[in-house]
Structures are given as structure tokens and as C-alpha cells.
Amino acid sequence: MADVLNFISGLLWGHVLIYLLIAAGLFFTFRLGFIQFRQFPYMVKVMANSRTGAGEGISSFQAFCTSLAARVGTGNMAGVAVALYLGGAGAIFWMWLIALIGMATSFAESTLAQLYKTKDSDGNFRGGPAYYMEYGLGKRWMGVVFSLCLILAFGLVFNAVQANSIAAAFEVAFDIPRHIVGVLLVIGSAFIIFGGLKTISRFAELVVPLMALAYLLVALYVCFINYDLLPAVFKQIIYSALGFEQAGAGAIGYAVMQAMIQGIKRGLFSNEAGMGSAANAAATASPNPNHPASQGYVQMLGVFVDTIIICSATAALILLSNQLVPDSGVTGIALTQAALVQHVGEWGAIFIAIAILFFAFTSIVANYSYAETNLMFLNTKYKHSMLIFRACVLAMVMFGAVGELGLIWTMADISMGMMAIVNVVALFMLSGFVIWLYKDYCSQLKAGITPVFNPDNHPEMEKTLPKGIWKK
């Protein structure tokens, strides 16, 4: 089974997804006029005003924290370590690159998710790629395929990945058996996910900024005490990514490809740009300004924070240590813990265990919220099957806590890849609407008015929108 899954994962990532994701990122980067670079200050300004919603629903900041809760987790701490172990320092360069161009893709998917959001029976906004596939493209079957992939990936497999990292970290730091950690995670997860979408949003809004700040402060301290080594680390990343380090060994092509594959895989797992997952959170907001594109700006910043800031912090911890040893078997969260222990002493393992608890636990509850939205898409009477689904989610959390790391990561890679393929195809097909929404937003800004979306200005688009959301 492991051999079959590894073959499928290698086929997806080695021959399809790398090229597809880069193509999508470059396409939207050019079509949107390098929006992620040219309008970065405005992106920050929109985020600063995102705590207040334009109406009913949760605020853009709460939606941002929910998406960041799903993004910031195992991928930032264990995933970066895996990428370094398998792909070398050069993997970080490709992680940065896919994040920078992926910011434009994130703008596109989040803007479309806002445009085609709907309301559930409790009055909450719901939406995401499955919804813009059904309404925008008129292809419900495509939305069904995406929803099934997302439920498998985020509702089940990814939660096993998060639980696996928490259990491994607590086993190293406190010598607590994995099955005990698994039981505690199941209890904690059940408490949050049974509280509903708004409980998840409030929980993410409170926890995510605090845990990210604490982790970054520790990483900055490590960089400060090793400041003289930083130039060498950056040189190592660039040289390894471009094959200069391997040129003398005659293995340049294979080494660069490994760095590229691992960097893009782990980068996508962490920041989710183009995967279509964060778009589910983007759809839940009542944005300020009240225009679909404003949530696109907010979600772009999420990709930057996740990969360029937090993943880089983990890479610095590891590369500034001497713990990265090929074929040593020390990888994942254990490698990150060993690196921090070298820098600050034994309390470093405890700090990483606590950090991964908060990072990964918030990912579990945010991942669940994505899966719930797509379960609703598949079945309008989803509440009747929700209890069974929640039991399956909690069972995967327990499985992840005691399961084998390699198999779980491979399952995550395959399900993530299938999601990304379906979503990117839909983004290309709806790219005209994305460009129009961006231009409409910018034209109102240039006119000195606060952007507001009026579907009457685009009759072709208006015909595809869910009723009663944007036009009362």
C-alpha cells in the first residue's frame, strides 16, 4: 500500500502539480499587474480595518484568523523540517517562490469565494471552490469532486497529520504516550467543533495571533544570537536551490528537482495557495469594504505571514543548528525540537511541544470547519449526517496520534494534490470574473470612494450569483 501511494504522490507532484501551480501563480500575477508586490502596503491597510464587518456574518479578520489557523500548523514546524531533510536547504527557496507567486492565486480564489457565497440555515455565510464551480461555471459535478477531495484531505487526513505532530512532540518533551495525547486531543477537538462556525472563528481570533507572535519572538532571539551565521544560511539556501552546491558532485539535476518538489509540496501544504481550502474561510466573512476583492487582499496577506514569515522562522532554527543530518532519521517535529534545544537548552523541546499543540490544534478545528462547509454543499440536509462525520473526524485525530508518519504524509500529499488540480482548473475558467472584480475595485479606489460591489454593473456575472446575497 505504501509503495502504491508513494507512486501516485510522485506522479502527481513530479509531473503535474508543480507546473500547474506555478503556471496559475504566474498567470494571475501577470493578469493582476503583480498585485502582491505593487499593492502590498494597501493589503496591510485592508487588514488593519478588517476587524469590523460590513454587515451580518463574521469579520474579515475572524475569517483571516480561521484560514491562518488552518495554514499555520504542522506544515510550518514539521513540514519545513521534512522539506529540509528530504530536499536540502534549497527547498526553502522554492517554498518562498511558490508563496510569493501563490499570493496572486490566493487573491483569485478568495475573491471568487466571496462572490459566490451563500447562507446556511443558521444564517452563516458559506462558500468556497465547490460553490463557485456550481454557480459560476454551472458544473455541480466539479464542485462535488472538489468537496469529496476536501472532506478527505481536511476533514480526515490533514487532521491525522496535525495530531501526529502534537503526539510526537509531547512524547519527546514530556515522555507522554501517544495514545494518551490522542485521547486528550479528541476531547479538546470535540469541545470546539460541536460549538459551530462562530465558536471556531472566535477561538481562532483569540489564539492564532498570540501563538504566532510567541513563536516568532523565539525565532528572532535565535537569529539574534547567531546573527554572524545568517549570511551563510542565506547563501546555502540560494546555492542549494540553484544547484551550485551539487555541481561538483555531478548530481545537480536530481538535487535541484528534489529541492523544488519538496519545497513546493511543503509550501503548498503550509500556505494552501491554489488548493482552494482557505477560500472556504474567505467566504464566511462580511468584508470591509463590502466588495469581494477586499477579502482577496486579506487572504493574500495570510499566505505571506504563513510562509515568508513563520516557515522562514522554522528554517532559520534548523539551518542555524547542526541537527540537519542526511539519513539520520531525525526529521519532522523531532528535528525542529532538536534544533531549538541546541540553541536555548532543554526548555526548547518543551516550547516546541506547546507551540505545536496550539498551532496544530487550531488547524484541526479550522480544517473541520472547511469540511463541514463542503459537507453542506453535498447534502443540504447535512445536519442529519453531521454527528457521524464528526465521529469520523475525531477517529482520524486518534489515528494520527498513534499512526506512522510517512504513510500519513503521503496520504496528505495525494489528497491535497487532487484538490489543487480541480481548483486551479476552475480558477482558469473563471479568471475573467476575477480580473473584472479587481479592476472594478481599483477604479472605485481611484475615484476616491469606498469600493462597493454592485452586480448590476456586470449583468453576465449577476445571472450566476446566488440569490439575496449581494443584491437585496
Side-chain angles (χ1 to χ4, degrees), residues 6-326:
N6 285 327
F7 173 78
I8 295 172
S9 178
L11 187 65
L12 276 176
W13 287 98
H15 298 87
V16 180
L17 275 168
I18 285 181
Y19 307 106
L20 187 63
L21 289 169
I22 291 176
L26 291 174
F27 174 81
F28 285 108
T29 294
F30 282 103
R31 289 299 306 273
L32 296 170
F34 294 85
I35 182 174
Q36 65 270 52
F37 307 108
R38 192 168 45 84
Q39 295 196 5
F40 190 87
Y42 181 74
M43 198 188 313
V44 176
K45 181 180 177 181
V46 175
M47 172 59 71
N49 296 324
S50 64
R51 282 188 172 273
T52 304
E56 52 196 333
I58 66 175
S59 69
S60 289
F61 184 74
Q62 287 177 316
F64 168 80
C65 287
T66 300
S67 66
L68 199 61
R71 285 183 172 123
V72 179
T74 294
N76 299 81
M77 301 177 78
V80 171
V82 170
L84 286 169
Y85 184 78
L86 297 177
I92 303 305
F93 173 86
W94 296 107
M95 196 176 285
W96 289 339
L97 181 63
I98 197 64
L100 289 174
I101 66 172
M103 289 171 71
T105 313
S106 182
F107 175 90
E109 63 188 2
S110 298
T111 298
L112 288 172
Q114 263 290 312
L115 179 68
Y116 289 108
K117 64 187 179 185
T118 63
K119 269 190 179 180
D120 64 18
S121 57
D122 296 323
N124 299 312
F125 286 128
R126 300 276 187 173
Y131 293 78
Y132 56 68
M133 290 168 192
E134 177 177 18
Y135 290 101
L137 294 176
K139 301 182 184 300
R140 180 171 172 81
W141 66 266
M142 197 174 184
V144 169
V145 171
F146 178 87
S147 290
L148 291 173
C149 290
L150 186 142
I151 290 169
L152 172 65
F154 279 80
L156 302 175
V157 178
F158 281 9
N159 284 337
V161 171
Q162 307 293 348
N164 185 278
S165 291
I166 295 174
F170 270 70
E171 187 176 46
V172 171
F174 304 108
D175 199 27
I176 300 176
R178 291 187 174 214
H179 66 278
I180 300 297
V181 178
V183 170
L184 295 175
L185 284 175
V186 167
I187 294 171
S189 301
F191 180 77
I192 300 296
I193 67 177
F194 276 89
L197 180 62
K198 291 187 176 179
T199 300
I200 292 171
S201 302
R202 287 193 295 267
F203 178 75
E205 182 182 26
L206 175 66
V207 174
V208 170
L210 292 177
M211 69 182 186
L213 180 61
Y215 186 64
L216 289 175
L217 287 175
V218 171
L220 285 173
Y221 170 74
V222 170
C223 290
F224 176 75
I225 63 177
N226 295 282
Y227 71 93
D228 56 321
L229 300 177
L230 287 174
V233 167
F234 279 105
K235 181 180 177 181
Q236 182 186 6
I237 290 172
I238 302 301
Y239 274 42
S240 179
L242 302 180
F244 298 150
E245 281 191 348
Q246 301 86 359
I252 181 171
Y254 176 78
V256 170
M257 183 57 69
Q258 276 297 101
M260 185 185 298
I261 291 174
Q262 293 301 323
I264 293 177
K265 271 205 299 190
R266 298 281 72 85
L268 177 62
F269 178 85
S270 183
N271 65 53
E272 303 173 16
M275 197 191 304
S277 50
N280 290 271
T284 63
S286 182
N288 181 26
N290 194 25
H291 192 288
S294 67
Q295 189 62 21
Y297 281 102
V298 170
Q299 293 298 330
M300 269 201 301
L301 193 59
V303 176
F304 183 87
V305 170
D306 173 88
T307 305
I308 306 301
I309 297 179
I310 300 178
C311 284
S312 297
T314 301
L317 292 179
I318 295 172
L319 292 175
L320 287 169
S321 74
N322 58 12
Q323 300 298 315
L324 182 60
V325 180

Side-chain angles (χ1 to χ4, degrees), residues 356-433:
I356 195 66
L357 172 64
F358 284 107
F359 276 124
F361 182 72
T362 52
S363 290
I364 289 172
V365 295
N367 290 347
Y368 166 79
S369 73
Y370 293 173
E372 183 181 271
T373 292
N374 284 269
L375 187 64
M376 173 186 162
F377 174 83
L378 293 176
N379 180 11
T380 55
K381 297 180 180 180
Y382 69 102
K383 288 187 177 181
H384 297 294
S385 55
M386 191 58 63
L387 187 61
I388 297 174
F389 177 66
R390 286 169 175 166
C392 292
V393 170
L394 297 177
M396 285 298 289
V397 170
M398 189 67 206
F399 166 72
V402 299
E404 193 273 319
L405 179 63
L407 179 61
I408 293 172
W409 275 108
T410 304
M411 291 169 63
D413 288 338
I414 293 172
S415 53
M416 175 174 65
M418 292 169 62
M419 277 179 56
I421 289 173
V422 178
N423 184 52
V424 170
V425 170
L427 290 179
F428 278 127
M429 296 174 73
L430 289 168
S431 60
F433 284 0

